[in-house]
Amino acid sequence: MSRPARHDRRRRGTEPVRLHPKPDQAFLGMPAFPDAARVALGDQQLRANLRHATHTIRAKRLNAVGEMPDWQDLRMAAAGIKDETLAHLDDYLVQFEQAATAAGATVHWAVDAEEACRIGVEIAQRHRARDVIKVKSMATQEIGLNEALEAHGIHAWETDLAELIVQLGGDTPSHFLVPAIHRNRDEIRDIFTERMGQVGRAAPDDLTSEPRRLAEAARLHLREKFLSTTVAFSGANFAIAETGTLVVVESEGNGRMCLTLPDVLVSVVGIEKLLPSFADLEVFLQVLPRSSTAERMNPYTTMWTGVSPGDGPQEVHVILIDNGRTRALADEVGRQALRCIRCSACLNVCPVYERVGGHAYGSVYPGPIGAILNPLLHGVTDEHDAQLPFASSLCGACYEACPVAIDIPSVLIDQRAAAVREKAHHRVPTAESVAMKAAAWTFGDAKRLARAQKTASLGRGVARHVGWLPGMLGGWTSSRDLPEVPRQSFRAWWSQREDTATVKALEE
């Protein structure tokens, strides 16, 4: 097909434009958000899938939250507990380690992703594991655990249905709660049919796109993994400092299988997941399910404290990871992002996320919370992280939906300022920084500003015929009309008005 013809098809939207980072590369090589979003906007199937899914979840969540007359009180209580925990995080972490160790668990500390992966791989190798099973975990995705295990010849199998779809599809998650939100039923059927047989029990030959049939195929495929694997990896929704207990809430039952059947359990937990006491769960087990799956309570809530002789895994490891969290904790405005309980409520109400999906953010943490969490964890020296705070309309819907009252718009503005300050430190000035300095120089002196306005009015006739501007200014004219330069500046009009008034007064 000739280039013009292919271009025409894309412009008409008949050729799919996809943005699927590969799991073995994580998000390496992905373009920064503006370019990635442009690609995502051209994927009509993706936009249709996202719109249907986010609107459905959003409506159900509103009903679930509306049942709670004290919802705002619960939000504030959850935020207060998290803030108190973060204010004394060092003490609670030590308390958790002591309690978990006393219960028979082995607690490891990892300063970054590399150290966490090294610990996880060493545990799997010590038990000669060639395969491990996993329950959905954002922390293990964040550190790239699957890729680290694979590099040492150890295959990690996801057991959450949506994660299984993503893994078999050679894809990466695009949503906290619904990682395969960018896939529809027909696509899922095709993935199961083509890939299941290559890595285990094959899908039935007569598999349809009916949800019940798809779930059955996944269940039979995973059952073999559960019964033949001796090492499991998990994350945790909460870690209780008082008792050393870890908590996982889920909807499918795969988590409970992972947490009880294997001989060895390794849990990778971010240090911000701490709660001071068991009683604090009362608040979070109300706000989390209603905000995430729009349920009054999760179907499965599994808790474990160390090792129970003769019951469940007989070797339990907990890897507590920092990986930038203490950096975020040091940010006075941004530390509230560490309250996040990964419910995804902010994603489902975000007009930007609804249109571009999760992959455009280039991170395991997409959406409004990802737009602040990534730069807080990593800084804004990298182009990808520096662009994310600008991936928002600042409508404030994310704050209204957040069950722990994270003021995401305020943090976005603060991180935008950090990104601008970072650019100012560049030895080679950017076009934007030169333009801003020129504007500051012009606006810094009244006479300079008057001369600039007068010059602009002289070019009024030419500007009337300009439909677009080159370079970075083209971002304005590509979606807006260039405003007409007024015949007279306010300063000139005011001066003329004063002169007229003076003459009139003299005549009187």
Side-chain angles (χ1 to χ4, degrees), residues 3 18 44 69 87 103 110 132 145 180 195 222 235 237 252 263 314 344 364 383 387 403 414 461 469 501:
R3 179 176 293 180
R18 292 295 170 91
Q44 294 187 1
V132 301
L145 180 64
R195 289 284 295 143
L222 289 172
N237 293 96
E252 300 172 14
D263 300 327
Q314 296 301 292
S344 73
V364 297
E383 182 189 5
Q387 292 284 355
D414 192 62
L469 294 173

Side-chain angles (χ1 to χ4, degrees), residues 258-272:
C258 271
L259 300 168
T260 55
L261 287 177
D263 300 327
V264 181
L265 175 60
V266 185
S267 300
V268 182
V269 183
I271 57 175
E272 84 284 11

Side-chain angles (χ1 to χ4, degrees), residues 455-465 484-488:
T455 302
S457 64
L458 292 175
R460 182 168 176 269
V462 177
R464 189 178 299 167
H465 301 288
E484 185 177 351
V485 178
R487 184 187 303 274
Q488 188 179 38

Side-chain angles (χ1 to χ4, degrees), residues 19-21 27 46 49-50 53-54 136 138 141 162-163 166 171-183 344 347-348 353-354 356-367:
L19 189 71
H20 291 325
F27 291 94
L46 170 70
N49 295 350
L50 287 169
T54 56
K136 182 178 181 299
M138 301 296 295
Q141 291 169 11
E163 292 284 349
V166 166
D171 206 348
T172 53
S174 61
H175 190 279
F176 292 171
L177 183 67
V178 196
I181 194 172
H182 52 287
R183 299 288 193 181
S344 73
L347 277 66
N348 300 327
Y353 178 88
E354 181 187 324
V356 303
H359 290 153
Y361 292 82
S363 166
V364 297
Y365 299 117

Side-chain angles (χ1 to χ4, degrees), residues 467-496:
W468 61 274
L469 294 173
M472 59 176 288
L473 298 177
W476 175 273
T477 54
S478 64
S479 58
R480 304 173 182 86
D481 293 330
L482 191 66
E484 185 177 351
V485 178
R487 184 187 303 274
Q488 188 179 38
S489 69
F490 175 81
R491 184 188 300 274
W493 172 81
W494 184 260
S495 177
Q496 185 181 37

